[in-house]
């Protein structure tokens, strides 16, 4: 019998690699709190990402840049309390892995030791390879993130598709190989043309997880608020909504508002 709690989940990366080898698609969904994490985990997804997209959907910012390491640790801790079986990745936020490698290692270590996640994700190409090597050496599994890297949105000139020109596509392919060679165990590809995502996936042994990257990646990731129809103003082409929860919530709150104002709630059944 295992002596570890299910949430320790130490075999979750080998499971992702097995899925990649066997050609089974990998699913990843973001979560930021224990309640959503519990529901999403019980739905059977392979992985949960505590994304710095919480800057947008939780904190209401226009970018992920204001998210701090302490914010991430807080949300990772909450998510881990809700998860039994999924692999959980935490984003290293803006400027927590750039000032120096020592800083980056300490910050990634905090996200794992205090946040409790199984791995960290960071955005960027081959210039991060030496850092990823050091993190991997230290026992910190690293998921890469290429294509549209939201922490560089000002440098990229907006939230737009990346890798459209031959030169950009070649650079992205080389970056992907460099991250894999440095020890990254998986790679998010965001907002890249489907044929480029297919080429990257074919060139790598590690799984690629796409968002706005077409159907040929090893898996897919979506932000839970987008997938569930909670983020009403956000309608990029790549997004498919699997529910319209904003409508459901609004209707429920309107019912409550109406019943309280009419004196219909609480009724004897809901009173002591
Ligand atoms: O922060 C996030 O949610 C992400 C996904 C969109 C991949 O990085």
């Amino acid at each position: 019998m295992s002596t570890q709690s299910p949430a320790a989940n130490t075999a979750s990366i080998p499971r992702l690699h097995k899925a990649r080898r066997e050609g089974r698609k990998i699913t990843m969904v973001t979560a930021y709190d224990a309640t959503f994490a519990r529901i999403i985990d019980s739905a059977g997804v392979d992985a949960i990402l505590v994304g710095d997209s919480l800057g947008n959907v939780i904190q209401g910012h226009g970018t992920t840049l204001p998210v701090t390491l302490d914010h991430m640790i807080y949300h990772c801790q909450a998510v881990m309390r809700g998860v039994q079986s999924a692999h959980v990745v935490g984003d290293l936020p803006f400027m927590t892995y750039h000032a120096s490698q020592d800083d980056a290692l300490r910050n990634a270590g905090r996200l794992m030791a205090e946040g409790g996640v199984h791995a960290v994700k960071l955005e960027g190409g081959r210039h991060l390879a030496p850092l990823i090597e050091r993190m991997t050496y230290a026992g910190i599994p690293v998921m890469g993130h290429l294509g549209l890297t939201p922490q560089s949105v000002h440098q990229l000139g907006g939230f737009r598709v990346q890798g459209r020109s031959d030169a950009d596509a070649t650079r992205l392919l080389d970056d992907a190989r460099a991250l894999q060679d440095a020890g990254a165990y998986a790679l998010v590809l965001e907002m890249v043309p489907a044929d480029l995502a297919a080429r990257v996936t074919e060139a790598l042994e590690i799984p690629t997880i796409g968002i706005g990257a077409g159907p040929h990646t090893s898996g897919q990731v979506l932000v839970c608020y987008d997938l569930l129809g909670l983020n009403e103003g956000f309608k990029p082409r790549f997004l498919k909504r699997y529910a319209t929860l904003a409508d459901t919530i609004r209707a429920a709150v309107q019912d409550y508002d109406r019943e309280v104002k009419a004196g219909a709630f609480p009724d004897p059944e809901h009173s002591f």
Side-chain angles (χ1 to χ4, degrees):
M1 200 176 85
S2 168
T3 54
Q4 291 193 309
S5 74
N9 208 2
T10 50
S12 59
I13 291 177
R15 273 208 311 268
L16 297 183
H17 285 168
K18 188 160 186 275
R20 162 71 172 120
R21 278 196 308 277
E22 294 175 357
R24 276 180 289 114
K25 291 283 187 187
I26 293 165
T27 49
M28 182 158 83
V29 176
T30 68
Y32 314 99
D33 64 52
T35 301
F36 269 71
R38 196 172 297 117
I39 297 168
I40 290 166
D41 187 49
S42 71
V45 296
D46 299 294
I48 289 179
L49 171 65
V50 188
D52 61 354
S53 51
L54 69 85
N56 304 99
V57 296
I58 303 291
Q59 298 177 334
H61 296 296
T63 73
T64 57
L65 305 195
V67 178
T68 68
L69 186 64
D70 285 337
H71 295 154
M72 288 305 306
I73 289 171
Y74 172 85
H75 286 279
C76 287
Q77 288 171 341
V79 165
M80 290 311 290
R81 288 184 204 113
V83 171
Q84 290 284 310
S85 53
H87 173 63
V88 185
V89 190
D91 264 343
L92 275 173
F94 180 58
M95 283 310 296
T96 59
Y97 51 100
H98 300 94
S100 75
Q101 284 196 6
D102 289 347
D103 246 20
L105 277 160
R106 265 190 292 274
N107 290 335
R110 279 194 65 200
L111 201 57
M112 290 193 69
E114 297 175 41
V117 291
H118 306 129
V120 304
K121 177 164 80 59
L122 39 76
E123 298 179 5
R126 71 200 78 169
H127 60 284
L128 290 174
L131 173 63
I132 292 173
E133 259 181 49
R134 273 191 75 186
M135 286 186 172
T136 306
Y137 179 71
I140 298 172
V142 178
M143 179 180 280
H145 185 151
L146 292 175
L148 172 64
T149 46
Q151 292 171 12
S152 316
V153 64
H154 295 296
Q155 206 165 37
L156 297 175
F159 297 98
R160 52 176 65 154
V161 176
Q162 303 294 310
R164 280 201 193 276
S165 71
D166 285 351
D168 287 349
T170 302
R171 195 173 314 119
L172 195 143
L173 201 51
D174 290 346
D175 280 341
R177 287 199 187 95
L179 297 190
Q180 172 176 274
D181 292 348
Y185 73 94
L187 187 60
V188 165
L189 292 173
E190 179 163 356
M191 297 268 284
V192 300
D195 58 342
L196 174 57
R199 280 170 63 200
V200 173
T201 302
E202 209 163 291
L204 299 187
E205 284 169 24
I206 59 173
T208 57
I209 304 187
I211 174 164
H216 307 300
T217 49
S218 324
Q220 297 290 327
V221 55
L222 282 177
V223 168
C224 64
Y225 279 56
D226 301 341
L227 179 160
L228 296 171
L230 285 163
N231 195 4
E232 293 182 288
F234 187 61
K235 294 176 186 160
R237 173 168 163 176
F238 68 78
L239 175 61
K240 180 170 175 185
R241 289 190 176 144
Y242 287 83
T244 51
L245 289 197
D247 292 339
T248 307
I249 291 171
R250 197 166 18 248
V253 175
Q254 280 168 347
D255 281 350
Y256 163 78
D257 181 71
R258 200 176 312 112
E259 289 198 1
V260 170
K261 286 172 180 162
F265 177 83
D267 53 12
E269 195 191 334
H270 295 97
S271 302
F272 299 104

